[in-house]
Amino acid sequence: MIDSIKHKGQRRQMISKLRKKGITNKKVLTALEIVPRHFFMDTALEDYAYEDKAYPITANQTISQPYTVALQTQLLELNKGEKVLEIGTGSGYQSAILLAYGDLKVFTIERQNELFKKTSLLFKKLGLKPKKTIFGDGYLGYPKEAPFDSILVTAGVIEVPKSLLSQLAIGGRLVIPIGYNEQIMTRYIRKGEKDFDIQTYGSFKFVPLLKNK
Ligand code: SAH
């Protein structure tokens, strides 16, 4: 895994803030402590990398706030060897957290070509190895590799895409922000073919999951 001495102290401070905000999963906290978020930000904004805020990246998109990344990862309740699908690769930071979490097969989809290319290159440079970085429409999921034990959506939707529910394994978790101006963090756990447990975890602001025309 990539390592960076730079900003180590700031990362530690960020972790103690995340703990206070209710992140308890040790593997999630360790992943956020290890991964240098500044590698995933525009150079001009590097000094702000450990502020608990979202920042602009290429193509009017954003790198999610560390708390949001930590909470979404925690809500996935990941187990060893599981298959995870991330919708919205963006900067690649969330993918890097999943890879640092360890022992997961990570698939990630991005629809914006410039970002897809830029982040694919960054993964290579940093030695990060998702199973696959996919250029495509996340609304469709990734049927080729379904079912997934976890699906994580990092952009806001108005309603939950049926394709994503159908690509969840039994026992699988989908974490997705739902809403128009603000999104409610929602987790679906698949109990049976058509049986889902649904829980909500507070209000957030995401860029929208865009539909291909
Ligand atoms: N996980 C990212 C968050 C990026 S913001 C990170 O850690 O930085 C959301 C991302 O979703 C953007 O990069 C945007 O281009 C992408 N996106 C929007 N609509 C999409 C779609 N239909 N399919 C796949 N990606 C999409």
Side-chain angles (χ1 to χ4, degrees), residues 71-97:
L71 180 70
Q72 288 198 286
T73 312
Q74 176 162 287
L75 288 175
L76 292 175
E77 294 190 355
L78 299 157
N79 302 299
K80 275 191 178 168
E82 285 190 342
K83 226 176 192 182
V84 186
L85 176 65
E86 177 196 14
I87 315 279
T89 314
S91 69
Y93 180 63
Q94 171 73 71
S95 326
I97 294 296

Side-chain angles (χ1 to χ4, degrees), residues 57 61-64 86-94 109-112 115 136-139 154-155 207-211:
I57 55 172
Q61 300 305 315
T62 53
I63 177 169
S64 300
E86 177 196 14
I87 315 279
T89 314
S91 69
Y93 180 63
Q94 171 73 71
I109 307 186
E110 174 58 55
R111 80 178 275 283
Q112 213 283 332
L115 257 176
D137 182 2
Y139 269 104
T154 70
V207 293
L209 192 71
L210 298 171
K211 287 218 181 252

Side-chain angles (χ1 to χ4, degrees), residues 98-204:
L98 291 169
L99 291 165
Y101 191 95
D103 253 321
L104 298 170
K105 299 181 190 80
V106 179
F107 295 82
T108 180
I109 307 186
E110 174 58 55
R111 80 178 275 283
Q112 213 283 332
N113 197 20
E114 198 185 343
L115 257 176
F116 167 75
K117 285 195 204 144
K118 191 176 172 190
T119 302
S120 301
L121 207 68
L122 183 67
F123 286 158
K124 280 217 180 77
K125 206 174 111 192
L126 299 177
L128 289 170
K129 295 196 174 87
K131 279 272 165 211
K132 202 166 165 78
T133 307
I134 303 140
F135 176 56
D137 182 2
Y139 269 104
L140 309 174
Y142 195 55
K144 231 171 140 177
E145 286 287 346
F148 293 94
D149 303 295
S150 280
I151 302 178
L152 170 60
V153 182
T154 70
V157 298
I158 305 298
E159 55 179 5
V160 63
K162 293 214 169 53
S163 50
L164 298 186
L165 288 176
S166 75
Q167 287 174 41
L168 268 188
I170 304 294
R173 291 82 55 201
L174 166 67
V175 174
I176 182 165
I178 307 178
Y180 191 65
N181 284 322
E182 275 190 349
Q183 293 81 31
I184 304 296
M185 192 63 75
T186 310
R187 179 172 68 182
Y188 289 76
I189 302 181
R190 190 170 201 173
K191 296 289 183 190
E193 195 48 37
K194 293 205 165 137
D195 181 14
F196 293 89
D197 253 10
I198 306 170
Q199 292 139 324
T200 57
Y201 299 91
S203 171
F204 292 80

